[in-house]
Amino acid sequence: METSISIAVVVVTRSQSFFQTGVSVINDIKTDVFHRVFVDAEWPCGQDDLVEDSVYAEAREKAIRFLSSRKDRLTLLVVQSSTLERVAGKLIALREWTEGGFQVGMAFVDFSDSDFAAMSIDDFDRALADFYATLGDASIPAFQSSFSTVVFQRPGFARIQYHPMNYIRCVMPQEREVLQTRLLCLWMDFFEMSYANQRVKPGAARRPKSALAEILAAFLTERAGSNWLMFYYTGSVVSTLINALENCCQNVGAAVLRGPNEHSLACGAMANWQLYSKPFVIVVTSGMIDEFKGTLANLREARAKGFIVCAEQRLNSWFAFQATITPDEDSREVVKARRLPCVYMDDPERLAEDLQIAATLYDAGEGPVVLLATRAVMDVSGPIEACLPPAHNLTGPFATAEGDPPELTAVMDLLNNGPDKVLWQCGPMEDDELELVLDISDRAGVALTDSLAYPGSIPKFRNGERNANFLGTLGVYAFSERVYRFLHTDGRINPPNEQCLFFVKSKISQIATPFTEAKLGRSFDIVQVTQNPAHISPFTDHPLVMDSRAFLQAVDRRLDVDPARRQRRIEAMSALCDTPSDIISKLPAAPMSPNYFFHQFSRLIESLIVADGYDYTGVYDVGRCGISAVRNVPRTRRGFSGWYGRALMGDALLATMSLAHTCPTDLIAFVGDGARAMVPDVLPSMAENILAQAPLGDKTITIFTFFNGGLSAINTYQELVLFNRTSRQMRLVNIAAEEWEENICGLKVVSRTVDAFDAQMLKCALLERGRLNLFNVNLSHNNEGDGLSLASAKGWQRDGAFAKQPALRSRLNAAGAEVRGLTEEFGI
């Protein structure tokens, strides 16, 4: 097809040699296609002799042969200036007197001068976006794409590299023959992809349309406003759907986050649902339903609300590439086995009906809805009338009975008139629920714990104030020493008539306590509060099937604890010392023991909370050091635990990428070397999210990776429980990490190896704003304490003498004096 048009070729450079080489290349391949060439430049236009080179000669011959076969007649306007702003001014002026107008085609930008050395890829992208926006405002049509603009940069090392959004990146060649051949290839690639392709038109790219994207976005916006998330990992089949959904998110202000693999997307969705109740949509390409791994089951267990869109092939395709529904397999059965709702969408005519089914399944609250959608369905772009259920008609999976259940009377009698030791373990509490729990515990003298699955559900500090009733963590691992001493006397569990356990908003799964089912049934008086009747355990003595908020409100109304009983309960808590009894937590040996590091770090964090108002969100990966962090480091709010559900190593680390953007506080992640080895490096994806979503501002992210060369939790199980020696299956090989410091995407990134505890360094790192700390901490392995086994609770280092100390409540409340002592000792 013949094309006749005037094209402006833009050249931005301060180098006459670079400009002249480009003009010479155009003249060298000039055929009837380029029948006229005009030049507007800062230097007189002459003919430079091009360097003889076999590769250039071959490229020139092929270019002329291709152009000679074309009937196009193009007038070239070569416009040069030293800056993008000046060349834009020239183009705007040129439009005024150019008869018939023109369009801007290829742009060659020379940023190889040393003045541009400090500019990043993102800086170049923004400069070019501004340049094309200026042309658009002046109604000058232009090809604005990555293949129509090339930027030449100076050679040099850059720690961060990524694909530009608005240009092709080239390093300025030192050899003239390489430059001339490169310029020729770039020009011919542009010509072939634009003027030889009639589907490509100048101007801004069309905004992609997708009915599926628009309806899902509108549905989630109706349910959550802008408080929902989009996650994706690209693929050819889903790329248009992703672009359309990104545009929808931009319109409503919903965040769009990525990760290094599909699994990381599920981890981010899981953490944000647990901590902030953010619904989500995840988009992945064909065959990737299996890449979510066990986190898919965790999302189901958490009853997370969202959509997982997976591309799928047509059922009548014969063993289609990456299909998961074929004559040999059916991924829908896998999804069904996980009890996840699923809709297969292959008929564009049924799109509205399928979306109605999906929306109803979403509102049922049984976990994320998996949408297996074919290309034909994802490509539907016209308006679709889908009658989705309105938000005000939502119904949960479990009905709540009106009024208090009759079983509550016996429970209230236990609380008001029962034993002197009452302990509550609370599941994930909403803010108003937490305030009720804290008030009830103070009025009733109830001891409080959080859990390994929900660390911080009851924080040690609330709004900077010490929660005197908080004893620590109760779990299969990480159970606190104070909790153990509260429930035991001389190493034996207290009789059921002397204490009772409340599990609120809990199904009392195995992760909740270190006790066997038999021991729970035989040795404890247990109250359980859950909304799901199927979650009432066989060892529960007082089951309450009711909403946790309704339970707390009922307790608040009916609470009537005698002051003397309350005082005895307070004294039972106050008699428990809040400092570790083991020796090695006080011993600064090399390499450091986990006990020592976490004891020192917990004291540092506590001093920062009280003295500096420090607030953070904790992230705890699966492994010994995650256990130690849960057990020792004081919390100010709920954190995210990789131990939830399947206890998947690496999930918590992967979740830090999205939590870095969504959590309202600083973030501290505790990751072992085993978990770190399971997943990709999170820094590149974190940087990409910053580029797309905006810098993290004054937030500081700290990722501790603890190296001891082994899978410590399993090693302790072998040595302490089974009395076996260590073996190869627990060994890890770690390569020493490079230490460096650099500004990446507006974030100060500091990579350090920590061999000894340095309170001053860590304090500065935690309090400095807009910083990402990557701290690799070298530790030893040991089997001593930190709640790894009940067997360690009675070791020689924990002789129980501290349990006989007098009441310490007054000392626990004297937080200011404690902080002064810590500050003097640390010298900070």
Side-chain angles (χ1 to χ4, degrees), residues 359-410:
T360 301
L361 292 171
Y362 173 98
D363 285 338
E366 291 290 343
V369 181
V370 177
L371 305 180
L372 300 172
T374 63
R375 181 193 293 271
V377 167
M378 289 187 287
D379 286 347
V380 174
S381 58
I384 299 295
E385 294 294 331
C387 299
L388 305 186
H392 60 267
N393 284 339
L394 301 186
T395 57
F398 311 114
T400 301
E402 295 185 6
D404 297 339
E407 295 85 358
L408 185 60
T409 300

Side-chain angles (χ1 to χ4, degrees), residues 149-420:
T149 308
V150 58
V151 172
F152 285 88
Q153 298 172 241
R154 63 190 292 110
F157 169 78
R159 187 172 297 279
I160 179 169
Q161 294 288 337
Y162 49 91
H163 187 66
M165 301 296 291
N166 292 314
Y167 66 93
I168 302 168
R169 177 180 176 270
C170 293
V171 174
M172 181 64 75
Q174 301 301 308
E175 302 82 6
R176 179 72 175 273
E177 63 271 21
V178 176
L179 175 61
Q180 66 193 35
T181 308
R182 189 79 170 106
L183 291 173
L184 171 58
C185 291
L186 288 165
W187 170 254
M188 290 304 299
D189 285 346
F190 165 72
F191 179 83
E192 183 177 34
M193 294 183 70
S194 56
Y195 297 104
N197 185 348
Q198 297 301 311
R199 294 179 300 170
V200 180
K201 305 295 180 185
R206 293 185 302 108
R207 294 179 69 87
K209 295 286 187 180
S210 166
L212 179 60
E214 291 167 5
I215 293 173
L216 289 178
F219 177 82
L220 289 171
T221 301
E222 182 190 21
R223 293 295 188 275
S226 62
N227 190 42
W228 59 277
L229 299 172
M230 176 192 173
F231 300 91
Y232 70 83
Y233 197 96
T234 190
S236 56
V237 181
V238 294
S239 55
T240 299
L241 175 66
I242 288 170
N243 285 338
L245 258 173
E246 279 195 296
N247 289 333
C248 294
C249 291
Q250 185 177 15
N251 292 338
V252 302
V256 180
L257 298 169
R258 293 178 55 197
N261 52 33
E262 292 84 356
H263 179 206
S264 69
L265 311 181
C267 296
M270 179 70 187
N272 278 282
W273 174 258
Q274 274 206 346
L275 296 183
Y276 313 120
S277 299
K278 288 179 180 285
F280 55 87
V281 58
I282 299 175
V283 180
V284 298
T285 196
S286 303
M288 297 301 121
I289 185 66
D290 295 327
E291 294 300 320
F292 294 114
K293 300 182 169 59
T295 310
L296 200 60
N298 289 351
L299 287 165
R300 165 60 169 76
E301 182 171 326
R303 298 299 194 274
K305 286 194 171 184
F307 297 99
I308 299 176
V309 183
C310 297
E312 188 48 72
Q313 305 297 334
R314 294 176 290 107
L315 292 179
N316 58 358
S317 299
W318 181 249
F319 290 102
F321 176 58
Q322 289 189 304
T324 64
I325 304 176
T326 72
D328 278 353
E329 64 172 314
D330 192 335
S331 61
R332 292 172 296 183
E333 294 300 317
V334 177
V335 174
K336 181 181 178 182
R338 295 186 185 274
R339 304 294 192 270
L340 281 165
C342 178
V343 182
Y344 175 71
M345 308 168 71
D346 66 335
D347 186 355
E349 298 298 323
R350 284 179 45 88
L351 177 56
E353 183 180 343
D354 286 341
L355 284 170
Q356 291 171 25
I357 295 171
T360 301
L361 292 171
Y362 173 98
D363 285 338
E366 291 290 343
V369 181
V370 177
L371 305 180
L372 300 172
T374 63
R375 181 193 293 271
V377 167
M378 289 187 287
D379 286 347
V380 174
S381 58
I384 299 295
E385 294 294 331
C387 299
L388 305 186
H392 60 267
N393 284 339
L394 301 186
T395 57
F398 311 114
T400 301
E402 295 185 6
D404 297 339
E407 295 85 358
L408 185 60
T409 300
V411 171
M412 288 308 304
D413 182 63
L414 193 63
L415 190 56
N416 287 329
N417 307 305
D420 290 347

Side-chain angles (χ1 to χ4, degrees), residues 105-134:
M106 190 78 182
F108 297 88
V109 183
D110 173 14
F111 279 158
S112 64
D113 192 279
S114 59
D115 290 350
F116 304 107
M119 291 183 69
S120 67
I121 295 172
D122 201 40
D123 294 330
F124 294 140
D125 263 329
R126 283 195 296 268
L128 290 167
D130 291 343
F131 167 71
Y132 283 112
T134 300

Side-chain angles (χ1 to χ4, degrees), residues 442 461 465-469 570 574 606 610 808-818:
D442 180 62
F461 287 87
E465 296 294 325
R466 172 71 178 269
N467 176 7
N469 291 42
I570 289 173
S574 300
E606 187 154 332
V610 178
L808 299 172
R809 188 175 184 84
S810 59
R811 186 181 67 80
L812 295 178
N813 289 332
E818 288 188 34

Side-chain angles (χ1 to χ4, degrees), residues 398-408 531 545-547 550-551 553-554 557-558:
F398 311 114
T400 301
E402 295 185 6
D404 297 339
E407 295 85 358
L408 185 60
Q531 195 178 4
V545 179
M546 62 187 303
D547 174 72
F551 165 74
Q553 290 169 343
R557 292 191 308 268
R558 300 167 64 169

